[in-house]
Amino acid sequence: ALLEAKDGGLWIGTENGVSLYKDGKFTNFSQKNGLGDNSVRALCQDHRGAIRVATRRGLSSISPELKISTMNFGLGLPGNAIRSVCEDRRGNIWVSSNEGVTCGNEFYTKTNGLPDRIATALIEDTEGRVWAGTYSGVACIVDGKIVCKPMNESGFGDLVNTLFEDSEGTLWAGARDGLYCIKPARFSAYTTLEGLTYNNVMCVREDREGAIWISTWGGGVNQLKDGQISTFGTTNGLTHDSALALEETKDGSTWIGM
């Protein structure tokens, strides 16, 4: 996971904890410092400036003063294996896990409309709707209700790894079997048939010029611009063809997590 904070610091989530890269120096955090677990799945910054860290054993929070606290959910929903976290426009924290999605005292599971029990990704769009990616497609949550069909019921879609909304309001879902445009109402797909180097899409981001960057598990990084796909892999200097995360920073640099 990669996240540029409002102060320009770059947060890097790994299997060995989370690191802050700022002013040319690294500051590292792990279970020894109070992190829920060293395996970090996702990062977000809340309106107070705290970095929320989704770990395999709870949701950790790192304050602007770099103090760590961790919330463990015990035996109830949503479970401790946190996969994604986001903050909505009201300041509510949403969490997805192996047991569903939660926001405050509200829980969303397969029994009340999620396409699958395991929820992998979360995002709030510009219209205030919360989208949840799961092992069986995507659901949309509005005013406490799940109001859209799973992506795979529309004829395609699979295990969703990531969700991203671009500057034009288009929602992208990166899944194990390709990249999908699921908003507006039309559905379209990009796979190896359309030029992707690999179908397992791990992360999607947009650069300042409007190009869509796509990291894949096994095919390096792809760039979608003006309908054309360019590829970047070990032959172009990447250290590995399995790219997990992307982030464009304020200086225009694109960071790639391998």
Side-chain angles (χ1 to χ4, degrees):
L2 293 171
L3 172 72
E4 185 184 31
K6 297 171 185 176
D7 65 2
L10 183 68
W11 291 84
I12 306 163
T14 75
E15 287 296 315
N16 295 301
V18 63
S19 298
L20 168 62
Y21 181 67
K22 188 177 180 182
D23 299 327
K25 298 179 180 179
F26 283 96
T27 304
N28 302 315
F29 306 89
S30 67
Q31 281 183 285
K32 294 180 180 179
N33 309 106
L35 207 63
D37 190 82
N38 285 338
S39 179
V40 174
R41 307 283 184 80
L43 300 163
C44 86
Q45 186 172 27
D46 67 23
H47 67 283
R48 296 184 178 89
I51 302 299
R52 303 297 184 117
V53 185
T55 82
R56 192 171 53 184
R57 296 176 181 171
L59 178 66
S60 295
S61 179
I62 304 177
S63 72
E65 297 75 33
L66 303 184
K67 304 296 183 182
I68 300 179
S69 60
T70 296
M71 179 184 298
N72 292 299
F73 294 92
L75 298 177
L77 292 173
N80 276 334
I82 310 301
R83 290 179 172 268
S84 186
V85 57
C86 77
E87 183 183 47
D88 67 21
R89 61 189 60 191
R90 300 181 182 89
N92 300 313
I93 298 296
W94 291 75
V95 172
S96 70
S97 75
N98 287 351
E99 303 298 333
V101 173
T102 186
C103 178
N105 294 321
E106 298 294 325
F107 301 102
Y108 305 91
T109 67
K110 190 174 181 178
T111 58
N112 58 8
L114 281 186
D116 194 274
R117 176 177 63 87
I118 299 177
T120 52
L122 288 168
I123 189 173
E124 183 192 36
D125 67 18
T126 52
E127 297 179 16
R129 299 178 293 191
V130 174
W131 294 79
T134 77
Y135 267 27
S136 300
V138 175
C140 182
I141 303 171
V142 180
D143 296 328
K145 296 182 180 180
I146 298 173
V147 296
C148 77
K149 293 182 179 181
M151 192 164 63
N152 59 348
E153 287 187 7
S154 301
F156 54 82
D158 196 359
L159 189 160
V160 175
N161 296 314
T162 187
L163 295 169
F164 178 75
E165 185 183 31
D166 67 23
S167 58
E168 295 183 351
T170 299
L171 191 68
W172 300 88
R176 185 171 56 184
D177 60 354
L179 175 67
Y180 298 98
C181 172
I182 61 174
K183 176 193 166 191
R186 61 178 171 79
F187 284 73
S188 57
Y190 294 88
T191 68
T192 52
L193 295 177
E194 285 73 34
L196 288 186
T197 51
Y198 207 74
N199 282 339
N200 195 355
V201 175
M202 305 303 296
C203 187
V204 181
R205 289 293 184 268
E206 181 182 22
D207 67 24
R208 60 182 61 190
E209 296 179 355
I212 299 298
W213 290 78
I214 307 146
S215 69
T216 71
W217 183 260
V221 175
N222 296 180
Q223 183 198 61
L224 175 62
K225 185 176 182 181
D226 299 327
Q228 302 295 315
I229 295 177
S230 304
T231 64
F232 304 88
T234 52
T235 57
N236 307 100
L238 292 186
T239 59
H240 204 283
D241 277 329
S242 291
L244 294 172
L246 297 165
E247 184 78 342
E248 187 190 43
T249 52
K250 294 181 179 67
D251 64 2
S253 300
T254 297
W255 292 72
I256 304 170
M258 312 301 288

